[in-house]
Amino acid sequence: MSSNPFVYIIGAVAIIGAFFVFGGSGGPATDAVVSGTATGSNVEVVAGKQIVTIAADEGYSPGSSSAKAGLPTVLRFKTANSFGCTTSIRIPTLRISEDLPSTGTTDIDVGTLAAGTLTGTCSMGMYKFAVVAS
Ligand SMILES: [Cu+2]
């Protein structure tokens, strides 16, 4: 028996909850969707949260992303019929170890991004990705 539907429900509730917290306060310009401002094209800021989208298949694409330091950030991994070891994410400095579905979207919360380079790898340490924050 799979617990996956339950996980999706929890995820959906969390996303909706975050929407209320960040989107429902009637706050200032932080609610705006800002794309491509001093960040890479795979990086966007939605309601104050920075989202770095990385495709995992045969390696990670893009291998290096440019982001802004000081923003709460999630790495959004996308897989589409991916079966290699790239579906197993390791970010040693944050003690993150997470498996991706072979097809789907997985957000990994990396907290508020510090200036510098955040590096992750596949489970074997063979493929790498980096988020360079400044
Ligand atoms: Cu590998």
Side-chain angles (χ1 to χ4, degrees):
M1 267 183 268
S2 169
S3 63
N4 273 346
F6 199 59
V7 170
Y8 284 123
I9 290 167
I10 291 171
V13 169
I15 288 165
I16 291 166
F19 213 81
F20 277 107
V21 169
F22 291 110
S25 61
T30 51
D31 284 0
V33 175
V34 182
S35 296
T37 50
T39 56
S41 58
N42 65 315
V43 179
E44 60 179 349
V45 179
V46 180
K49 178 162 274 202
Q50 181 164 236
I51 300 166
V52 180
T53 301
I54 299 170
D57 190 9
E58 304 263 325
Y60 298 101
S61 178
S64 181
S65 303
S66 298
K68 276 187 176 171
L71 291 176
T73 299
V74 298
L75 307 187
R76 177 164 291 168
F77 286 93
K78 299 216 170 190
T79 48
N81 286 313
S82 309
F83 294 100
C85 56
T86 55
T87 60
S88 198
I89 303 286
R90 300 286 183 275
I91 305 176
T93 55
L94 298 179
R95 301 189 179 200
I96 288 171
S97 172
E98 191 150 334
D99 291 331
L100 311 178
S102 62
T103 297
T105 300
T106 305
D107 283 358
I108 298 179
D109 195 329
V110 295
T112 298
L113 211 55
T117 301
L118 181 66
T119 304
T121 69
C122 67
S123 56
M124 297 160 58
M126 178 169 59
Y127 294 109
K128 295 180 169 64
F129 58 89
V131 178
V132 182
S134 56

